[in-house]
Amino acid sequence: MITFYSQNIWNSSPAGYRTRLLRSLISDFDADICAFQECGPQTNRKDSPSVNSLMSDLYKEALPQFDNVNFTPLFYKNDKLSVVDEGYQLYSGLNDSKSKGVSWAVFEEIKTKKRFAFASTHFWWMDRGEEDTNQRIENAKELKNICAEIINKYNVPVFIGGDFNNGKNSTQGDEPYFEMLKMGFVDIRNIAEKCTNQEYTCQFAYPVLQDDETFAVCPVEPNICIDYIFVYGEFGGKVKSFYIETNDKARTSSDHIPLIAEIEF
């Protein structure tokens, strides 16, 4: 069983207090692989304590050579998994601060020798109309090509966690989401044996900064869905559960709440 954790962790300073909450959430679920978005090299990776330092007790980062530029990293339990192959790619076209891209890795479970691929991604965000919608669809096409190359080489399914910046109640609409389904991406919400009733993953508000650089819980409940976990490629295993954490700790850690999947290969 692999427990996969995905969250947009909010590229904003001060980040240290929120990073402690993030690390606590990851421990709560005993995650094996973590996909982050908005992991800012000058914020979340730099503020004390940094994401890198708090994760280093049990986790390694795939592609550590890109940690000074990569906003979409993957971290994995290095006593359970080893990396067979890995890659990092920025999306072409519109791309603010070079933050929209994808990191991926093919892992091998040390004990069972089973292989599988995971990715973290973040799509273009603006909501000005057709140009921005088309950019997100182009992001999806590039992601599909990356997944197809992984499958062609390793014959493993690819699980992708990310902020796709479109979906139910979002100002960006939901056309790219449905285009992804047509491309062959499967929203694991639709195949999980046990699935959350929580629909939403984000809100138009942020945790509230206090004078001592701690944060208070976001005053607005999640009310849009723009974060997902997809699988691409033939998957013969089971998604045992899909869960979205809405407790105060999650809603204080970021403007996005975490998605967690338990996957049996």
Side-chain angles (χ1 to χ4, degrees):
M1 184 92 72
I2 295 295
T3 300
F4 183 40
Y5 180 108
S6 180
Q7 187 180 11
N8 178 322
I9 64 174
W10 187 20
N11 173 28
S12 178
S13 286
Y17 179 81
R18 295 185 297 102
T19 300
R20 287 192 179 95
L21 297 181
L22 169 69
R23 185 64 185 85
S24 177
L25 285 160
I26 291 166
S27 291
D28 290 344
F29 294 101
D30 194 21
D32 298 304
I33 300 171
C34 301
F36 300 144
Q37 302 84 47
E38 287 197 33
C39 187
Q42 300 304 315
T43 54
N44 315 74
R45 290 185 182 271
K46 188 174 181 180
D47 294 354
S48 182
S50 68
V51 167
N52 300 56
S53 65
L54 286 185
M55 294 296 289
S56 65
D57 59 339
L58 295 177
Y59 299 86
K60 282 188 177 180
E61 181 176 357
L63 303 148
Q65 66 270 33
F66 295 111
D67 69 354
N68 62 332
V69 295
N70 187 0
F71 287 76
T72 57
L74 284 171
F75 287 82
Y76 64 97
K77 275 188 179 177
N78 65 307
D79 65 344
K80 183 173 182 176
L81 303 166
S82 60
V83 173
V84 176
D85 198 359
E86 57 192 354
Y88 164 68
Q89 179 176 316
L90 288 175
Y91 290 128
S92 59
L94 301 171
N95 202 321
D96 54 325
S97 302
K98 297 182 178 180
S99 64
K100 304 303 183 285
V102 56
S103 300
W104 61 267
V106 176
F107 295 103
E108 182 173 272
E109 192 170 22
I110 294 170
K111 185 176 181 179
T112 67
K113 305 303 179 183
K114 291 180 179 179
R115 290 184 175 185
F116 30 75
F118 283 82
S120 175
T121 194
H122 196 174
F123 281 11
W124 179 245
W125 67 281
M126 293 187 76
D127 58 356
R128 300 167 297 185
E130 185 176 359
E131 178 187 13
D132 294 319
T133 296
N134 288 340
Q135 179 64 69
R136 281 182 281 278
I137 293 173
E138 289 302 312
N139 292 162
K141 290 177 180 177
E142 289 187 40
L143 178 60
K144 177 182 177 179
N145 289 339
I146 291 168
C147 292
E149 290 177 5
I150 294 169
I151 293 167
N152 183 58
K153 187 173 182 180
Y154 294 102
N155 192 30
V156 294
V158 186
F159 283 84
I160 310 105
D163 176 353
F164 294 85
N165 272 317
N166 75 106
K168 188 173 182 178
N169 284 2
S170 72
T171 58
Q172 298 99 326
D174 57 13
E175 183 180 348
Y177 171 83
F178 287 104
E179 286 297 317
M180 289 185 71
L181 298 184
K182 291 177 185 178
M183 293 178 197
F185 292 92
V186 175
D187 183 344
I188 69 162
R189 181 190 291 268
N190 298 325
I191 62 171
E193 292 184 350
K194 182 180 179 182
C195 187
T196 180
N197 291 323
Q198 171 66 24
E199 289 188 272
Y200 302 117
T201 64
C202 185
Q203 66 284 319
F204 297 109
Y206 294 90
V208 181
L209 178 63
Q210 307 296 292
D211 290 339
D212 60 358
E213 295 195 351
T214 63
F215 282 81
V217 65
C218 181
V220 178
E221 294 282 344
N223 53 22
I224 59 176
C225 184
I226 59 177
D227 307 274
Y228 302 92
I229 296 175
F230 290 100
V231 61
Y232 186 85
E234 185 175 344
F235 174 52
K238 297 177 181 179
V239 177
K240 301 296 289 184
S241 69
F242 173 63
Y243 180 68
I244 299 174
E245 180 58 84
T246 61
N247 64 17
D248 283 356
K249 183 161 53 173
R251 292 178 51 235
T252 307
S253 67
S254 174
D255 56 325
H256 296 247
I257 50 180
L259 287 62
I260 302 96
E262 292 182 317
I263 305 163
E264 189 175 87
F265 289 92

